[in-house]
Amino acid sequence: MPQRLARVQALLQERPAEPWPLDTLAQVAGMAPHTLLRAFRTSTGMTPHAYQVDLRINRARALLRAGDAPADVAHALGFYDQSHFQTAFKQRVAATPGHFRRR
């Protein structure tokens, strides 16, 4: 099963800004959706969606450090809107994107 999960992880890492429905990821892994959820959480400690959001936030950090505007980063990384990006960023980094960028 680890090879199946590696395909899903690679897909999320290659294209983190794209929306990936659980059914699509399950097809990539050749598993039922709930089986994928359990196996992915066991392997990584988080769901595929949480893993994808973490990938996006890590890339956002790099873009913000490079001087990109938070709104541009939110759009580039596939967040629904800047508010959604700010909420996800603040939950994981304990700072708003604007504050992080100014540091």
Side-chain angles (χ1 to χ4, degrees), residues 14-26:
E14 289 170 15
R15 300 184 342 219
E18 292 187 32
W20 292 109
L22 182 59
D23 289 341
T24 301
L25 295 176

Side-chain angles (χ1 to χ4, degrees), residues 11-39:
L11 183 64
L12 293 172
Q13 290 170 358
E14 289 170 15
R15 300 184 342 219
E18 292 187 32
W20 292 109
L22 182 59
D23 289 341
T24 301
L25 295 176
Q27 287 177 346
V28 168
M31 300 176 171
H34 287 93
T35 304
L36 172 63
L37 273 177
R38 283 191 305 274

Side-chain angles (χ1 to χ4, degrees), residues 4-103:
R4 292 176 174 190
L5 297 178
R7 287 193 300 248
V8 172
Q9 284 180 298
L11 183 64
L12 293 172
Q13 290 170 358
E14 289 170 15
R15 300 184 342 219
E18 292 187 32
W20 292 109
L22 182 59
D23 289 341
T24 301
L25 295 176
Q27 287 177 346
V28 168
M31 300 176 171
H34 287 93
T35 304
L36 172 63
L37 273 177
R38 283 191 305 274
F40 200 92
R41 185 177 291 146
T42 298
S43 176
T44 65
M46 58 185 81
T47 65
H49 178 73
Y51 185 84
Q52 182 181 29
V53 172
D54 275 4
L55 290 171
R56 289 175 175 178
I57 296 301
N58 288 335
R59 291 195 184 179
R61 288 177 177 182
L63 293 172
L64 292 168
R65 281 188 196 113
D68 290 11
D72 295 337
V73 172
H75 178 72
L77 294 176
F79 284 94
Y80 181 71
D81 58 23
Q82 190 173 350
S83 174
H84 179 230
F85 169 57
Q86 183 165 330
T87 300
F89 193 91
K90 193 172 180 180
Q91 286 175 341
R92 287 163 177 81
V93 182
T96 65
H99 183 94
F100 182 87
R101 182 175 171 224
R102 288 188 292 272
R103 279 198 257 172

